[in-house]
Amino acid sequence: MTDATAFDAVLAAISFNADGLVPAIAQAEGTGEVLMMAWMNREAVVETLTTGRVCYWSRSRRGLWRKGESSGQVQMLKDFRVDCDGDTLLLIVEQQGVACHTGRRSCFYRAWRDGTLETIQEVETDPSVLYGTPHTHGA
Amino acid sequence: MTDATAFDAVLAAISFNADGLVPAIAQAEGTGEVLMMAWMNREAVVETLTTGRVCYWSRSRRGLWRKGESSGQVQMLKDFRVDCDGDTLLLIVEQQGVACHTGRRSCFYRAWRDGTLETIQEVETDPSVLYGTPHTHGA
C-alpha cells in the first residue's frame, strides 16, 4: 500500500470529474511529441508519483492500467504538471518503444488534409509483437 | 451557416462523449509546448476547420468559445489531428500572445517538485491587460 497522505496537496489541486477521473496528456521528453491522452483516478495519480512509472485508469476495463504491463510500452515519468484550473494533467515521459496500440509512436497519427483524415505516421512496431493478439486501446 | 456536410467524414471519426464533447489539446507550432486542453462539440470542430481559427465549447458558459475573442489570445489552426480511437483531438496552433488566462504561456505551469506543486512558469502578460477584470478559465 502507498501512503496517500503524502499526496494530499497534489490530489487537492486536481479537479477530478464526476467519475473521479482526470485527463492526462503524455508528452515525450526531448522531442515534445504528444503521444496520447488517457485518464487517471486518485489511485493512478498516487501510484504514478510513487513509482515513477505511469499508471492510468482504464475506463473500458475499469481498472488500473499500468501502461506497458503487457506490451512493454512503458512510460517512465519525467515531470508531472497540473493545469491552471486543475482539470488536466500533463505528463512528461520517457516512452519505451511506441505509445500507440497500433504500433505507431503517437496515437495522433491522423491529420486533416484536404477534407479527409490522412495517416501521417507509419507503424513502427507490428502490434502482434506488442500484444500477440488483436488489442484495443486501454482507455 | 457552415456547410457541415463537408465535415461528415471527420465528425464520424470523432467519438464525442455523452455530453457531445471531445477533449482537444492545443500544442504550439514550432516549440511543441503543450498550451492547454479544452473541449469541442461538433459545431466547434466544424467552425475551427472552416475558419482556421480555434473555437472550443465552454462548458462553464455553455456556448462556443472563440479563443481570444475578448482577450486577443487567438489560436490559428496549423494542423488538426485525431487519435487512434477518435476520442481526443490534437490541435497544432500558432498562439497569439499567451494561452493561459493567468497570463502564462501555457496552462501547465505547476509541476510536482519534492512533494509539492511548484510554479515553473512566470506570468508574461498581466491578466488585467487581457481581460480588464478578473476572469476565470473558459473551460
Side-chain angles (χ1 to χ4, degrees):
Chain A
M1 290 294 291
T2 305
D3 176 14
T5 59
F7 301 97
D8 281 353
V10 68
L11 292 173
I14 299 172
S15 296
F16 294 91
N17 69 13
D19 295 323
L21 302 177
V22 63
I25 301 161
Q27 183 180 30
E29 191 185 33
T31 66
E33 186 169 28
V34 175
L35 301 173
M36 57 180 285
M37 199 280 274
W39 297 80
M40 288 184 156
N41 63 358
R42 285 172 177 75
E43 198 177 347
V45 168
V46 169
E47 173 164 325
T48 297
L49 289 172
T50 304
T51 65
R53 179 176 159 174
V54 178
C55 174
Y56 299 103
W57 173 260
S58 169
R59 295 176 302 171
S60 57
R61 295 196 302 262
R62 301 193 61 75
L64 290 176
W65 167 25
R66 295 178 180 92
K67 174 76 177 167
E69 196 166 37
S70 57
S71 65
Q73 298 167 291
V74 168
Q75 295 177 337
M76 300 307 296
L77 185 72
K78 295 299 172 177
D79 208 14
F80 181 96
R81 299 185 190 156
V82 180
D83 81 344
C84 51
D85 53 0
D87 67 4
T88 309
L89 306 177
L90 176 62
L91 314 174
I92 311 298
V93 305
E94 181 188 306
Q95 174 71 55
Q96 297 183 9
V98 296
C100 185
H101 76 287
T102 65
R104 294 176 177 88
R105 264 198 335 274
S106 163
C107 293
F108 297 95
Y109 60 81
R110 294 182 291 171
W112 175 256
R113 296 282 185 274
D114 302 322
T116 59
L117 285 181
E118 193 175 292
T119 295
I120 59 166
Q121 199 171 89
E122 296 312 309
V123 171
E124 292 189 8
T125 306
D126 184 337
S128 70
V129 173
L130 297 172
Y131 303 103
T133 53
H135 183 82
T136 55
H137 194 283
Chain B
M1 289 295 291
T2 305
D3 176 15
T5 59
F7 301 98
D8 281 353
V10 67
L11 291 173
I14 299 172
S15 296
F16 294 92
N17 69 13
D19 295 324
L21 302 176
V22 63
I25 302 161
Q27 183 180 30
E29 191 186 32
T31 66
E33 186 170 28
V34 175
L35 300 173
M36 58 181 283
M37 198 281 273
W39 297 79
M40 288 184 157
N41 63 359
R42 285 171 178 76
E43 199 178 347
V45 168
V46 170
E47 173 164 325
T48 297
L49 289 173
T50 303
T51 64
R53 181 177 158 174
V54 178
C55 174
Y56 299 102
W57 173 260
S58 169
R59 295 177 301 172
S60 58
R61 295 196 301 261
R62 302 194 59 76
L64 290 176
W65 168 25
R66 296 180 179 91
K67 174 74 176 168
E69 196 166 38
S70 57
S71 65
Q73 298 167 292
V74 169
Q75 295 177 337
M76 300 307 296
L77 185 72
K78 295 299 172 178
D79 208 14
F80 181 97
R81 299 185 191 155
V82 181
D83 79 344
C84 51
D85 54 0
D87 68 3
T88 309
L89 306 177
L90 175 63
L91 313 174
I92 310 298
V93 305
E94 180 187 306
Q95 174 71 54
Q96 297 183 8
V98 296
C100 186
H101 77 287
T102 65
R104 294 175 177 88
R105 265 199 333 276
S106 163
C107 294
F108 297 96
Y109 59 82
R110 294 183 290 171
W112 175 257
R113 296 282 185 276
D114 301 324
T116 59
L117 284 182
E118 193 175 291
T119 294
I120 59 166
Q121 199 171 89
E122 295 313 308
V123 171
E124 292 189 8
T125 307
D126 184 336
S128 71
V129 173
L130 297 172
Y131 304 102
T133 53
H135 183 83
T136 55
H137 194 283

